[in-house]
Amino acid sequence: MLQIANIRKNATEVAERLSIRGLDGKTLVANVLELDEKNRAKRTEMESLQSKGNQLTGQIGELYKSGQKEAGDALKLASAEIKEQLKTLEADVELGDQAMLQLLLTIPNTPSTEVPLGKTPDDNLEVSQWGSKPDLSSQSLPHWELAAKYDIIDFELGVKLTGAGFPVYKGKGAIFQRALIQFFLNEAGKAGYTEIQPPLLVNADSGYGTGQLPDKEGQMYHSTVDDLYLIPTAEVPITNLYRDVILNEGQLPIKNAGYTPCFRREAGSYGAHVRGLNRLHQFDKIEIVQIVKPENSYGVLEEMQTYVQGLLQKLGLHYRVLLLCGGDMGFTSAKTYDMEVWSAAQEKWLECSSVSNFETFQTNRLKCRFRNTEGKTELAHSLNGSALALPRIVAALLENNQTPDGIKVPEVLVPYTGFDMIN
RNA sequence: GGUGAGGUGGGUGAGUGGCUUAAACCACCAGUUUGCUAAACUGACGAACGGGAAACUGUUCCGGGGGUUCGAAUCCCCCCCUCACCGCCA
């Protein structure tokens, strides 16, 4: 959620930056300012009346104490009248605040000025590519066929147990998953991230804190008896660690990493492109999260982006880096890089990581602040990225590394798997 | 699930109707002293929002919501959460 004070102060800039998303920034900002002005007028009116009432009660107290009961009783009448007037005023102010909140909730984050204009994924800017397409023989198989051939992932069994999108990993397939998780966690540790094992169920407050609620309510699995939500990403618990917190400047930057299964209902997205591991209801992901000082956040975004690339390089995967355009960026992000790995048999790019700077969009909601050098509280900036999400990495590794004798395990993973070939 | 206790500022924790502009201690911050660090001393120090060029000033906030009262952290009602013990159980 954008900060109203910031919109007021930097109206033109906010409007311009919103326009990068293809929105009518000017009108949006004008609407906010108009409502804001109305609200403030009402608030001033209410507060001065409250002040008057407070003075009165003080006087009444004095009068009673000095034994002037009748004079006190007389003032009570005036006090009662003010109280009556306040009722409607307070209700008005409350309504105004609600209206403002509702309005602000509909406005996405202001893109960084470096974000390219554009509406669709076609307008994303390809920043770089690494590696090259593997040279596979003509009989290369998609990963779901490889999974069946070597009996390492069973999609049908998952359907029996739960439903589509809940695969069962078996034997070397399960070990391979575990190896990747441990590899990613160890790498994050080496890069200075503190490992976190958070709860997989969160309450509604946490959902609101990172913005999954109320907008994406339908995307989360909800246990209604206890009113808890299965996390769609570790971002939710790990970022909410800092909800309603005032940090000391010295504690920043905070760097956390966590592995969790992620649960997504993915309501409404069915079809051919969800085949195999491409889109699941439950999958494993290692997430990295940083809470930083505002002036550092864009430098940190580059650092995180580079870190994720390093993982892909160690796995020997051909990938590209996209700078998302305004229209394709998530609602809460100010700047996002997507990493896509090449899936050799499907012959397409698969998104496997998304690294974003949210500036104060999340921390405003979370009330995550730090005390700056002047001793004043200031909203921190939050960032996160997948490092990495497993399924599409697994898909790409299976497809790209297939040989007539089996699937070669990347060298960096062998210490974790204990085998160098899936066959 | 049962019974009991409790939720106060960054933390510990006092506070049973107006003197609370929330004590005290700790932490954080600034300064003094000091080879450095530490310690000691001094000072400042809750948050959010509004008004003001600024100095400054107003309002709200003691888990959440309602109520009593001229006036509520304090009294009453409902809800939520935490802790302890018991029961059940990995």
Side-chain angles (χ1 to χ4, degrees):
Chain A
M1 191 168 66
L2 293 179
Q3 301 167 77
I4 180 68
N6 186 48
I7 298 177
R8 210 146 54 203
K9 210 158 89 189
N10 307 308
T12 322
E13 189 199 327
V14 170
E16 276 167 12
R17 287 175 65 178
L18 282 174
S19 301
I20 296 174
R21 287 186 183 266
L23 300 169
D24 183 356
K26 253 189 176 163
T27 305
L28 273 175
V29 168
N31 289 345
V32 170
L33 291 181
E34 190 190 337
L35 181 58
D36 181 48
E37 203 148 317
K38 237 167 53 185
N39 283 354
R40 272 150 66 205
K42 270 278 180 237
R43 180 173 301 278
T44 307
E45 195 183 337
M46 175 189 77
E47 288 184 354
S48 68
L49 195 59
Q50 281 173 329
S51 177
K52 221 193 275 171
N54 288 343
Q55 277 177 22
L56 259 185
T57 57
Q59 285 170 21
I60 294 171
E62 291 296 319
L63 288 172
Y64 276 134
K65 233 186 291 180
S66 60
Q68 299 173 259
K69 190 160 184 323
E70 280 143 46
D73 287 343
L75 286 186
K76 275 193 197 178
L77 291 172
S79 180
E81 198 177 312
I82 285 178
K83 208 175 160 187
E84 200 52 43
Q85 290 174 4
L86 270 177
K87 257 187 204 161
T88 48
L89 263 178
E90 281 169 351
D92 276 1
V93 168
E94 174 66 23
L95 278 176
D97 286 350
Q98 281 301 321
M100 180 58 86
L101 181 64
Q102 288 312 314
L103 180 56
L104 287 177
L105 284 175
T106 63
I107 301 177
N109 201 355
T110 49
S112 150
T113 49
E114 289 151 45
V115 169
L117 268 165
K119 295 194 166 162
T120 69
D122 297 331
D123 301 319
N124 293 336
L125 191 71
E126 187 175 309
V127 178
S128 63
Q129 260 192 40
W130 187 88
S132 51
K133 293 178 187 173
D135 190 18
L136 297 182
S137 69
S138 52
Q139 67 223 25
S140 69
L141 301 173
H143 67 268
W144 52 88
E145 286 182 29
L146 292 165
K149 179 174 170 187
Y150 297 111
D151 195 25
I152 50 174
I153 307 173
D154 196 320
F155 293 95
E156 282 73 33
L157 263 183
V159 171
K160 180 172 96 175
L161 296 182
T162 310
F166 293 90
V168 174
Y169 303 87
K170 299 159 73 176
K172 283 187 172 177
I175 294 170
F176 194 61
Q177 291 277 119
R178 177 156 56 84
L180 276 167
I181 292 165
Q182 187 146 6
F183 169 66
F184 289 141
L185 281 175
N186 284 352
E187 290 293 313
K190 279 191 234 164
Y193 290 91
T194 302
E195 187 172 332
I196 304 283
Q197 265 192 44
L200 306 181
L201 285 158
V202 294
N203 58 30
D205 283 345
S206 296
Y208 281 102
T210 30
Q212 276 71 25
L213 294 174
D215 334 335
K216 299 182 206 156
E217 165 122 45
Q219 290 300 330
M220 286 192 291
Y221 289 97
H222 183 200
S223 168
T224 48
V225 257
D226 296 304
D227 195 22
L228 294 173
Y229 296 85
L230 274 166
I231 57 170
T233 158
E235 167 197 343
V236 178
I238 293 182
T239 311
N240 270 283
L241 254 25
Y242 304 96
R243 168 155 52 83
D244 293 321
V245 160
I246 300 178
L247 298 153
N248 287 322
E249 197 172 1
Q251 292 174 264
L252 301 176
I254 285 165
K255 299 174 74 172
N256 285 332
Y259 151 71
T260 67
C262 301
F263 304 90
R264 299 186 180 179
R265 295 189 60 234
E266 301 291 358
S269 57
Y270 299 101
H273 62 291
V274 305
R275 199 117 192 239
L277 295 170
N278 290 350
R279 174 166 263 116
L280 301 172
H281 289 303
Q282 179 183 331
F283 63 95
D284 293 309
K285 180 159 67 66
I286 289 78
E287 185 81 1
I288 51 177
V289 174
Q290 291 209 36
I291 313 279
V292 305
K293 288 197 263 182
E295 64 267 30
N296 296 336
S297 67
Y298 279 97
V300 168
L301 179 68
E302 295 307 313
E303 171 203 313
M304 289 171 75
Q305 185 257 108
T306 306
Y307 168 75
V308 172
Q309 286 194 49
L311 296 177
L312 293 168
Q313 289 173 13
K314 284 178 188 172
L315 292 172
L317 285 166
H318 176 42
Y319 69 85
R320 63 176 186 174
V321 181
L322 302 177
L323 174 58
L324 296 195
C325 73
D328 197 34
M329 238 174 22
F331 188 82
T332 54
S333 176
K335 187 177 179 184
T336 297
Y337 291 104
D338 270 10
M339 319 291 157
E340 297 185 337
V341 285
W342 181 250
S343 160
Q346 299 181 79
E347 297 197 320
K348 63 179 184 185
W349 295 103
L350 298 177
E351 181 193 335
C352 64
S353 176
S354 191
V355 184
S356 301
N357 183 2
F358 303 105
E359 298 192 357
T360 60
F361 201 82
Q362 280 188 331
T363 51
N364 185 30
R365 200 70 172 282
L366 289 164
K367 296 207 201 78
C368 169
R369 294 151 294 173
F370 71 100
R371 222 173 274 289
N372 64 24
T373 29
E374 288 157 25
K376 295 221 165 133
T377 56
E378 188 178 339
L379 290 175
H381 280 196
S382 70
L383 304 96
N384 70 38
S386 352
L388 287 158
L390 292 226
R392 293 172 188 164
I393 294 291
V394 171
L397 286 173
L398 294 182
E399 292 180 11
N400 299 10
N401 296 345
Q402 60 184 301
T403 72
D405 306 323
I407 296 156
K408 272 173 62 184
V409 174
E411 238 173 80
V412 287
L413 291 181
V414 175
Y416 296 98
T417 54
F419 51 80
D420 59 7
M421 199 64 120
I422 297 172
N423 47 22

